């Protein structure tokens, strides 16, 4: 390093340029840098611009990583051609690590690294240098940039970033079968020396596996490695840098290799004969035993299929595979009977489901074993002769009639007697009884097929020696029909005939139904009753297929003469004994068009004019209703008008009320009339003037002698009361009866106009003008106008 620095200084002297010299300059690079020129002002020379040489020569500086010396590590030197060595130039440094990692001597330009560096942490630093005039503090040269690279040393061992590894390879693989590729990473500089060149080797796991030193690919090194012998292998791999040379750093990792299974082993029975004992009472479909073949393989390669080899007794048994335990489960296909056969022998074959063709040469992948089954004698329940009994009986069969019998027997060696009884479940079972010893079934009640056509119940048989051993059988009894119901018309028909019908026209097709259970081929016959056969209206045509047609025998029918016809039809069945019934068919006469389409069958339509449509009838009815409403409204208005009619003519003012707009006296007008005069007939009225208004002066004063107490009103009322009491059409007792009788000798005199003055001239209305402004209109109407008798009509 000192030699290179001295060489740099020598070149600087030779070229007399005052150039920046790096730690390891090359002559060609320095010459190329010196050839680059810029135009810069130089103090003390001509004021005009001159071409001068560039003041910096740039190259990379190098510094060793992990430097452990006591003094700062020298990196290089900076120098400007304007530095005359008198201390007038100051050198500054900025950029990555300036002041913290790297320092510069402001006077000499020497650069030092003040701490240890790690290339793996930061491989290079970019800095900027500048020469400044000490006095003016102004830059003498433009700021320039240079790089300091950290030179690598072998301080990092290879590392397996993905370790430890897990791999697998099929068993029985050939030599060189690929297993896995491992990779180690070295953080050192791969472009500098052998610090990052890694070589792989196996420290543990030989001779089973090998590894490629350069690629790290692991392969099998032994043939026919058997999983059943050893399944797991642990291999220790080493990666060493420096190409594996002495002094290189190394790293290790572990690779766990598993041999996967292949179907290289056939199943084998551990013994050649299996003995089983089975009770004869075992149910069909139940498992009676298990056998097992051993296969050292794993997973699907160990799946076994069991089959019974055809032979003695094999048809009574079946075998399946338990998918969890790979055992052969033997099941019973048919019932066993110790009295019939006591032992069975057959062979079972076990084979693999998934075969590997590479190992066919090893031999057949199956094995055979013998199974011997001994049947154990058990105390069994009685056995019925049939699995189900079906019987028939006619309805209405007398009670106690035997229908049939069931039979059961004990098949054990020591045969026992059997007892029968019914399995009571509901009330239907009470229709039959069974003999406990013989097993005969008889009726217990009268049967009706129309109520219940079939009975289904169970019979239980038990052994006398062991009543707990029972067996059950179903019995079905069909009730046969006895022809007891006559046939009838199946549905109620709505039959009609047109008024313009022709003879021989079919107006209705009828069918019949019978409540009895009709046997196959039963027929119904149809005909008219003897009473109707002589009438020339309708006839019945039997089609011989359980249907019949109603035909007309007349040319036209009239609704005015007869609207309904009742046709009696006799229907017979073909069963024994023959049953028949008479059914009445109602035929209505209707009005039809020329095509035979029915237009009306209503009774009211008979009297309507021909051709009058329904819409026209509705319109006529609406008009009638409207006229009735108008008449009712008119009468009501006339009655209301009679009540509210006012006579405004002056000629007839005595019997009418004159309406005017003047208001009365209000609450202060207490002299409008004397209510006492109406209540007490003895009150003497002093005058007959109007009392609805109190006049200022009274012009007329009339005196009448006091009225005597007359009895005619009392007599009149008593008479009317007696008439109402005896009159049944009189109103109820709480009604008010009024009578138009005034009586005689009233103090208020008569209110009638009979005794009043006959002419308007007899009346003096001058006092109205004295009553004040409120009666001015009346005074003007009656006081000023002179009366003209010629105007009275």
């Amino acid at each position: 390093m000192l030699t290179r620095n001295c060489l740099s200084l020598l070149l600087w002297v030779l070229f007399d340029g005052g150039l920046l010299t790096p730690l390891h300059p090359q002559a060609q690079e320095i010459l190329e840098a010196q050839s680059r020129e810029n135009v810069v002002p130089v103090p003390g020379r001509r004021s005009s611009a001159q071409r001068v040489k560039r003041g910096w020569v740039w190259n990379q500086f190098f510094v060793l990583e992990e430097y452990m010396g006591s003094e700062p590590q020298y990196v290089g030197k900076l120098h400007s051609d304007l530095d005359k060595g008198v201390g007038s130039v100051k050198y500054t440094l900025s950029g990555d690590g300036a002041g913290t990692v790297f320092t510069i001597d402001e006077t000499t330009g020497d650069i030092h690294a003040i701490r240890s560096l790690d290339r793996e942490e930061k491989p290079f630093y970019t800095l900027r240098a500048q020469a400044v005039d000490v006095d003016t503090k102004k830059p003498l040269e433009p700021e320039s940039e240079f790089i300091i690279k950290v030179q690598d040393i072998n301080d990092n061992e290879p590392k397996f970033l993905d370790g430890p590894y897990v791999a697998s390879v099929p068993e029985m693989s050939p030599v060189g079968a690929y297993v896995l590729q491992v990779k180690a990473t070295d953080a050192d500089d791969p472009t500098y020396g052998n610090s990052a060149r890694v070589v792989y080797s196996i420290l543990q796991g030989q001779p089973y596996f090998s590894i490629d030193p350069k690629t790290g690919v692991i392969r099998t090194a032994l043939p026919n490695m058997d999983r059943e012998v050893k399944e797991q292998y642990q291999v220790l791999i080493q990666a060493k840098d420096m190409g594996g040379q002495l002094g290189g750093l190394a790293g290790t990792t572990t690779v766990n290799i598993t041999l996967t299974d292949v179907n290289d082993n056939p199943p084998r029975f551990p013994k050649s004969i299996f003995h089983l004992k089975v009770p004869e009472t075992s149910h069909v479909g139940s498992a009676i035993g298990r056998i097992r073949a051993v296969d050292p393989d794993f997973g699907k390669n160990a799946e076994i299929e069991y089959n019974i080899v055809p032979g003695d007794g094999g048809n009574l048994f079946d075998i399946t595979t338990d998918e969890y335990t790979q055992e052969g489960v033997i099941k019973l296909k048919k019932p066993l009977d110790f009295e019939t056969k006591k032992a069975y022998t057959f062979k079972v074959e076990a084979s693999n489901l998934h075969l590997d063709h590479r190992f066919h040469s090893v031999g057949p992948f199956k094995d055979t074993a013998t199974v011997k089954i001994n049947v154990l004698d058990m105390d069994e329940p009685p056995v019925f002769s049939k699995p189900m009994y079906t019987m028939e009986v006619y309805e209405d069969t007398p009670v106690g009639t035997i229908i049939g019998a069931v039979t059961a027997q004990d098949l054990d060696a020591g045969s026992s007697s059997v007892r029968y009884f019914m399995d009571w479940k509901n009330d239907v079972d009470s229709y039959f009884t069974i003999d406990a010893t013989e097993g005969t079934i008889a009726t217990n009640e009268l049967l009706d097929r129309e109520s219940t056509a079939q009975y289904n119940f169970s019979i239980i048989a038990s052994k006398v020696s062991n009543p707990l051993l029972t067996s059950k059988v179903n019995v079905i009894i069909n009730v046969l029909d006895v022809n007891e119901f006559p046939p009838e018309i199946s549905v109620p028909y709505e039959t009609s005939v047109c008024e313009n019908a022709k003879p021989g026209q079919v107006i209705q097709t009828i069918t019949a139904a019978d409540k009895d259970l009709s046997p196959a081929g039963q027929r119904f016959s149809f005909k008219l009753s003897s009473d109707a056969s002589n009438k020339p209206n309708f006839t019945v045509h039997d089609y011989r297929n359980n249907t019949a047609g109603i035909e007309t025998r007349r040319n036209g029918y009239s609704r005015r003469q007869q609207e309904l016809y009742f046709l009696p039809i006799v229907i017979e069945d073909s069963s024994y004994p023959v049953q028949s019934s008479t059914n009445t068919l109602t035929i209505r006469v209707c009005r039809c068009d020329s095509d035979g389409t029915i237009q009306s069958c209503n009774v009211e339509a008979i009297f309507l004019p021909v051709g009058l449509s329904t819409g026209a009838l509705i319109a006529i009815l609406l008009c009638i209703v409207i006229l009735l409403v108008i008449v009712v409204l008119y009468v009501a208005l006339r009655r209301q008008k009679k009540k509210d009619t006012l006579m405004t003519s002056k000629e007839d003012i005595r019997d009418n009320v004159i309406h005017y707009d003047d208001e009365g006296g209000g609450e202060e007008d207490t002299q409008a009339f004397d209510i006492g005069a109406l209540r007490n007939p003895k009150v003497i009225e002093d005058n007959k003037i109007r009392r609805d208004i109190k006049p200022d002066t009274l012009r007329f004063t009339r005196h009448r002698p006091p009225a005597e107490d007359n009895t005619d009103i009392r007599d009149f009322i008593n008479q009317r009361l007696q008439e109402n009491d005896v009159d049944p059409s009189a109103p109820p007792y709480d009604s008010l009866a009024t009578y138009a009788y005034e009586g005689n000798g009233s103090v208020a005199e008569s209110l009638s106009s009979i005794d009043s003055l006959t002419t308007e001239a007899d009346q003096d209305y001058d006092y109205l003008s004295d009553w004040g402004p409120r009666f001015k209109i009346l005074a003007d109407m009656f006081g000023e106008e002179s009366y003209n008798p010629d105007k009275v009509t």
Side-chain angles (χ1 to χ4, degrees):
M1 186 179 294
L2 295 176
T3 303
R4 284 184 291 182
N5 291 338
C6 294
L7 180 60
S8 299
L9 180 60
L10 178 62
L11 290 175
W12 177 74
V13 172
L14 290 176
F15 286 95
D16 192 22
L19 302 177
L20 173 68
T21 305
L23 284 173
H24 55 285
Q26 299 177 4
Q28 182 63 31
E29 293 175 349
I30 295 174
L31 292 174
E32 290 176 0
Q34 288 176 340
S35 66
R36 303 189 209 115
E37 299 176 345
N38 291 325
V39 179
V40 298
V42 178
R45 299 186 182 182
R46 295 175 298 178
S47 59
S48 60
Q50 297 181 0
R51 292 179 60 86
V52 297
K53 294 180 180 180
R54 181 179 176 88
W56 305 96
V57 175
W58 301 117
N59 208 332
Q60 295 179 348
F61 289 87
F62 292 89
V63 59
L64 290 175
E65 69 169 336
E66 305 294 346
Y67 175 73
M68 305 301 294
S70 59
E71 298 294 332
Q73 183 181 0
Y74 182 75
V75 178
K77 183 180 182 64
L78 298 178
H79 187 76
S80 175
D81 57 353
L82 299 179
D83 186 2
K84 303 303 182 181
V86 296
S88 61
V89 177
K90 177 183 177 181
Y91 296 95
T92 61
L93 191 65
S94 62
D96 292 343
T100 58
V101 179
F102 302 100
T103 61
I104 188 170
D105 190 314
E106 296 180 353
T107 303
T108 64
D110 292 333
I111 302 174
H112 292 82
I114 60 177
R115 67 179 180 85
S116 178
L117 302 179
D118 187 1
R119 190 200 68 83
E120 287 73 33
E121 181 180 346
K122 190 172 179 65
F124 63 90
Y125 296 84
T126 302
L127 296 96
R128 294 180 298 278
Q130 193 171 37
V132 181
D133 189 281
V134 175
D135 298 329
T136 62
K137 307 298 182 181
K138 293 182 179 180
L140 298 177
E141 298 287 346
E143 185 180 54
S144 297
E145 187 176 81
F146 65 96
I147 296 174
I148 298 178
K149 296 187 67 175
V150 181
Q151 193 171 5
D152 183 50
I153 63 174
N154 189 19
D155 58 342
N156 293 280
E157 72 278 3
K159 294 182 180 180
F160 292 93
L161 301 180
D162 298 329
Y165 296 88
V166 176
S168 62
V169 63
E171 64 173 334
M172 310 302 290
S173 296
V175 176
Y178 176 84
V179 179
L180 180 69
Q181 183 178 11
V182 298
K183 184 177 182 181
T185 302
D186 196 322
D188 292 327
D189 189 359
T191 63
Y192 181 75
N194 294 327
S195 299
R197 190 163 70 89
V198 179
V199 175
Y200 302 95
S201 62
I202 293 181
L203 301 181
Q204 176 185 333
Q206 295 175 339
Y208 305 104
F209 300 96
S210 64
I211 188 170
D212 190 295
K214 295 182 179 179
T215 62
V217 175
I218 301 174
R219 300 180 183 274
T220 57
L222 287 180
N224 301 326
M225 288 189 292
D226 193 355
R227 185 196 68 85
E228 287 74 30
V229 176
K230 186 177 181 180
E231 183 178 5
Q232 298 287 340
Y233 294 87
Q234 190 175 71
V235 181
L236 184 63
I237 304 295
Q238 175 185 268
K240 190 174 183 180
D241 59 9
M242 298 298 294
Q245 298 177 4
L246 185 64
L249 302 179
T252 60
T253 188
T254 301
V255 180
N256 295 314
I257 302 175
T258 302
L259 297 182
T260 58
D261 184 61
V262 297
N263 192 9
D264 58 338
N265 296 286
R268 291 287 182 263
F269 284 106
K271 54 185 180 180
S272 60
I273 299 176
F274 293 87
H275 294 275
L276 299 176
K277 295 181 179 181
V278 182
E280 65 173 340
T281 56
S282 300
H283 298 288
V284 174
S286 62
I288 60 175
R290 289 172 176 256
I291 62 174
R292 183 179 182 181
V294 179
D295 191 334
D297 292 326
F298 178 76
K300 68 176 185 179
N301 295 319
E303 294 181 0
I304 302 174
E305 181 182 19
Y306 297 90
N307 293 288
I308 295 178
V309 178
D312 180 30
N315 58 342
L316 271 73
F317 306 95
D318 192 10
I319 188 168
T320 59
T321 303
D322 188 330
E323 60 181 2
Y324 298 103
T325 63
Q326 295 301 314
E327 293 178 320
V329 181
I330 301 176
K331 296 182 178 181
L332 191 62
K333 290 175 60 177
K334 297 180 180 180
L336 300 176
D337 187 10
F338 176 81
E339 290 72 24
T340 303
K341 191 171 184 179
K342 298 178 177 60
Y344 298 89
T345 302
F346 55 89
K347 291 184 178 182
V348 176
E349 181 182 80
S351 60
N352 282 134
L353 288 176
H354 308 282
L355 300 178
D356 195 332
H357 64 278
R358 295 177 298 175
F359 305 101
H360 285 176
S361 59
V362 178
F365 279 74
K366 57 184 178 179
D367 195 15
T368 304
T370 302
V371 178
K372 290 186 176 182
I373 296 179
N374 294 321
V375 181
L376 301 179
D377 186 21
M378 304 295 291
D379 194 5
E380 299 176 281
V383 178
F384 283 96
S385 60
K386 295 181 180 179
M388 185 180 66
Y389 292 86
T390 302
M391 305 176 185
E392 294 180 348
V393 61
Y394 280 98
E395 62 178 336
D396 297 330
T397 299
V399 176
T401 302
I402 297 177
I403 303 172
V406 296
T407 303
Q409 59 181 345
D410 183 14
L411 301 179
D412 291 333
S415 180
S416 173
S417 301
V418 178
R419 294 291 181 265
Y420 305 94
F421 57 92
M422 298 188 67
D423 185 14
W424 297 97
K425 292 182 179 180
N426 48 51
D427 296 338
V428 177
D429 299 335
S430 63
Y431 282 89
F432 304 94
T433 60
I434 186 169
D435 187 275
T437 304
E438 301 296 333
T440 56
I441 300 174
T443 59
N444 194 34
E445 295 182 15
L446 290 177
L447 305 179
D448 183 10
R449 192 206 63 82
E450 286 70 32
S451 176
T452 304
Q454 187 182 79
Y455 294 89
N456 191 342
F457 54 91
S458 299
I459 300 297
I460 298 176
S462 65
K463 296 174 64 173
V464 175
S465 60
N466 189 357
L468 296 179
L469 295 176
T470 62
S471 58
K472 183 185 295 186
V473 69
N474 287 334
V475 178
I476 297 176
I477 297 180
N478 295 317
V479 181
L480 302 180
D481 184 46
V482 174
N483 191 24
E484 56 183 340
F485 293 99
E488 299 176 348
I489 292 179
S490 58
V491 294
Y493 293 96
E494 295 182 359
T495 307
S496 60
V497 62
C498 294
E499 289 183 311
N500 54 357
K502 303 298 182 180
Q505 182 177 345
V506 178
I507 62 174
Q508 183 69 62
T509 300
I510 60 175
T511 60
D514 195 339
K515 294 181 180 180
D516 294 317
L517 180 60
S518 302
Q522 183 179 10
R523 286 185 171 276
F524 300 117
S525 61
F526 303 84
K527 63 181 180 179
L528 284 178
S529 65
S530 58
D531 297 338
S533 58
N534 299 325
K535 296 181 180 180
N537 294 319
F538 303 95
T539 186
V540 176
H541 180 70
D542 192 350
Y543 295 142
R544 306 297 180 184
N545 59 355
N546 292 344
T547 62
I550 308 301
E551 297 180 357
T552 58
R553 298 178 62 182
R554 289 175 48 184
N555 187 8
Y557 299 84
S558 175
R559 283 189 297 166
R560 298 180 182 272
Q561 296 178 359
Q562 185 173 351
E563 181 188 5
L564 298 176
Y565 291 89
F566 300 99
L567 187 65
I569 302 174
V570 178
I571 306 175
E572 294 182 353
D573 59 16
S574 58
S575 300
Y576 181 82
V578 175
Q579 299 288 346
S580 65
S581 66
T582 301
N583 301 262
T584 301
L585 184 66
T586 303
I587 302 175
R588 183 181 297 275
V589 180
C590 299
R591 182 169 58 86
C592 306
D593 56 11
S594 58
D595 297 332
T597 302
I598 297 175
Q599 292 185 343
S600 176
C601 289
N602 297 329
V603 180
E604 294 81 358
I606 299 176
F607 303 99
L608 293 178
V610 178
L612 195 59
S613 64
T614 305
L617 294 177
I618 295 174
I620 292 173
L621 291 176
L622 287 177
C623 293
I624 294 173
V625 171
I626 292 172
L627 290 176
L628 291 176
V629 171
I630 293 174
V631 171
V632 171
L633 292 176
Y634 177 77
V635 172
L637 290 176
R638 289 284 296 176
R639 291 182 179 179
Q640 187 67 25
K641 188 173 181 181
K642 286 183 179 180
K643 294 180 181 180
D644 297 340
T645 301
L646 299 179
M647 191 68 176
T648 55
S649 176
K650 296 180 182 179
E651 292 79 5
D652 200 11
I653 194 61
R654 293 169 298 172
D655 296 331
N656 296 283
V657 178
I658 303 301
H659 294 268
Y660 53 89
D661 296 333
D662 290 342
E663 296 182 358
E667 295 179 356
E668 298 178 355
D669 187 6
T670 59
Q671 300 298 328
F673 61 90
D674 188 359
I675 192 64
L678 297 178
R679 296 178 179 176
N680 189 0
K682 295 183 178 181
V683 177
I684 300 175
E685 184 179 2
D686 295 335
N687 53 63
K688 291 182 61 177
I689 64 174
R690 293 175 58 93
R691 301 189 54 151
D692 53 349
I693 295 299
K694 184 177 180 181
D696 294 337
T697 59
L698 297 178
R699 297 194 177 185
F700 300 97
T701 301
R702 298 181 182 180
H703 298 277
R704 288 178 63 94
E708 299 295 335
D709 187 6
N710 297 323
T711 60
D712 55 347
I713 294 179
R714 184 182 303 109
D715 297 338
F716 176 77
I717 293 176
N718 291 332
Q719 181 182 355
R720 293 301 186 191
L721 286 175
Q722 293 177 1
E723 292 177 357
N724 280 274
D725 290 340
V726 298
D727 187 4
S729 62
Y733 295 109
D734 56 350
S735 299
L736 178 63
T738 59
Y739 311 107
Y741 183 76
E742 296 182 0
N744 295 323
S746 174
V747 177
E749 295 184 349
S750 176
L751 298 177
S752 174
S753 61
I754 297 175
D755 296 334
S756 300
L757 297 178
T758 58
T759 61
E760 197 175 73
D762 296 335
Q763 298 287 341
D764 188 0
Y765 297 102
D766 294 338
Y767 63 88
L768 293 177
S769 59
D770 298 333
W771 285 6
R774 295 181 181 178
F775 296 93
K776 185 177 183 300
I777 297 178
L778 290 177
D780 294 341
M781 292 173 60
F782 297 103
E784 297 178 358
E785 184 178 1
S786 59
Y787 174 72
N788 188 0
D790 297 334
K791 295 181 181 179
V792 179
T793 59

